[in-house]
């Protein structure tokens, strides 16, 4: 039987990124969808994050010239999701917390050849794509801030495009933009700017004085 990672089909993912880069994101997403959380009671529990991840489909992975500055490149990753009843608030529209979870949904990989992926989210996945495509190594940090603006509601059955692009990749600060579009109703649902910081290497502790 083939390893799970060998069963990942990248042919349905659009974009000019290499098949290896697409494979990395797809296999990470797949591993999250099939994960389970252990409970003391022994009752099967898929897990909060795995449930959310199961709603996402990866549709595009690209590295493109920036429209405003063609000499600069940007990573672009697009996911799709369809709003269902489990995502709704009391008013019958997409819950803001659910939407935030989609934007900052974490997927991870432990494949030995993926030193590039540690932990990434929908909004920060283009950071990996740009780094892996240009330097062969993606760098991730920890979230410093996630600023979301909610523009319009989404209803059951609405199809969403979660479009993520890089803004800046500094030595310490990494920033991305995420736009969630309702392609059923042709309107913007939410936009966000996500800032990550690359943590400093831990300092060696001083020896205790005798």
């Amino acid at each position: 039987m083939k390893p799970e990672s060998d069963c990942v089909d990248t042919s349905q993912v659009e974009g000019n990124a290499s098949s290896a880069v697409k494979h990395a994101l797809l296999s990470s997403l797949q591993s999250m969808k099939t994960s389970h959380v252990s409970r003391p009671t022994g009752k099967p529990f898929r897990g909060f994050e795995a449930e959310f991840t199961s709603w996402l489909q990866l549709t595009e992975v690209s590295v493109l010239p920036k429209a405003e500055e063609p000499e600069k490149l940007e990573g672009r990753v697009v996911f799709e999701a369809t709003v269902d009843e489990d995502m709704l608030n009391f008013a019958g529209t997409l819950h803001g917390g659910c939407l935030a979870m989609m934007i900052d949904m974490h997927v991870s990989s432990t494949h030995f050849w993926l030193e590039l992926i540690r932990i990434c989210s929908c909004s920060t996945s283009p950071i990996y794509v740009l780094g892996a495509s240009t330097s062969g190594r993606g760098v991730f940090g920890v979230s410093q801030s996630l600023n979301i603006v909610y523009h319009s509601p989404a209803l059951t059955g609405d199809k969403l495009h979660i479009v993520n692009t890089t803004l800046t990749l500094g030595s310490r600060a990494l920033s991305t933009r995420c736009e969630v579009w309702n392609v059923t109703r042709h309107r913007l649902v939410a936009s966000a700017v996500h800032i990550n910081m690359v943590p400093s290497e831990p300092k060696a502790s001083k020896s205790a004085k005798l």
Side-chain angles (χ1 to χ4, degrees), residues 54-72:
S54 69
W55 296 331
L56 300 175
Q57 297 295 324
L58 181 64
T59 60
E60 182 188 344
V61 182
S62 300
V63 176
L64 305 168
K66 279 186 173 291
E68 297 78 10
E69 182 48 70
E71 293 187 4
K72 298 285 187 179

Side-chain angles (χ1 to χ4, degrees), residues 5 17 38 43 53 64 77-78 87 97 100-101 117 135 141 156 169 179 182 187 196 200 207:
S5 60
S38 297
K43 182 180 178 180
T53 311
L64 305 168
V77 179
V78 181
M87 304 179 185
M101 187 71 176
I117 283 192
S135 67
T156 305
L169 271 68
E179 294 182 347
N182 187 330
R187 61 193 185 193
N196 276 240
S200 302
S207 300

Side-chain angles (χ1 to χ4, degrees), residues 13-205:
V13 181
E14 299 180 353
N16 63 1
S18 69
S19 59
V21 171
K22 293 177 181 179
H23 187 284
L25 292 180
L26 269 178
S27 61
S28 299
L29 195 62
Q30 180 172 297
S31 67
M32 282 299 302
K33 289 181 179 181
T34 57
S35 67
H36 289 77
V37 176
S38 297
R39 276 183 164 177
T41 59
K43 182 180 178 180
F45 177 53
R46 190 175 190 181
F48 184 64
E49 195 167 69
E51 187 66 30
F52 272 75
T53 311
S54 69
W55 296 331
L56 300 175
Q57 297 295 324
L58 181 64
T59 60
E60 182 188 344
V61 182
S62 300
V63 176
L64 305 168
K66 279 186 173 291
E68 297 78 10
E69 182 48 70
E71 293 187 4
K72 298 285 187 179
L73 297 175
E74 68 178 12
R76 173 183 165 93
V77 179
V78 181
F79 293 88
E80 286 184 357
T82 300
V83 180
D84 70 17
E85 293 179 351
D86 292 336
M87 304 179 185
L88 305 181
N89 58 23
F90 72 95
T93 61
L94 178 61
H95 194 290
C98 179
L99 186 55
M101 187 71 176
M102 284 187 190
I103 293 171
D104 197 16
M105 171 63 64
H106 286 77
V107 295
S108 63
S109 178
T110 55
H111 297 298
F112 71 92
W113 55 276
L114 295 181
E115 70 167 352
L116 27 96
I117 283 192
R118 299 295 187 264
I119 299 175
C120 67
S121 66
C122 286
S123 56
T124 57
S125 55
I127 295 174
Y128 155 67
V129 170
L130 184 58
S133 299
T134 57
S135 67
R137 184 172 182 271
V139 177
F140 291 100
V142 295
S143 292
Q144 184 184 52
S145 67
L146 177 62
N147 184 28
I148 303 175
V149 179
Y150 297 97
H151 300 279
S152 65
L155 306 176
T156 305
D158 287 356
K159 186 176 181 180
L160 306 178
H161 277 188
I162 306 169
V163 183
N164 310 277
T165 55
T166 51
L167 288 175
T168 59
L169 271 68
S171 58
R172 290 294 308 280
L174 314 166
S175 61
T176 60
R177 179 185 301 279
C178 176
E179 294 182 347
V180 181
W181 286 91
N182 187 330
V183 296
T184 301
R185 303 176 190 278
H186 308 286
R187 61 193 185 193
L188 184 64
V189 176
S191 58
V193 172
H194 192 182
I195 299 176
N196 276 240
M197 296 295 291
V198 178
S200 302
E201 292 292 330
K203 297 180 179 179
S205 60

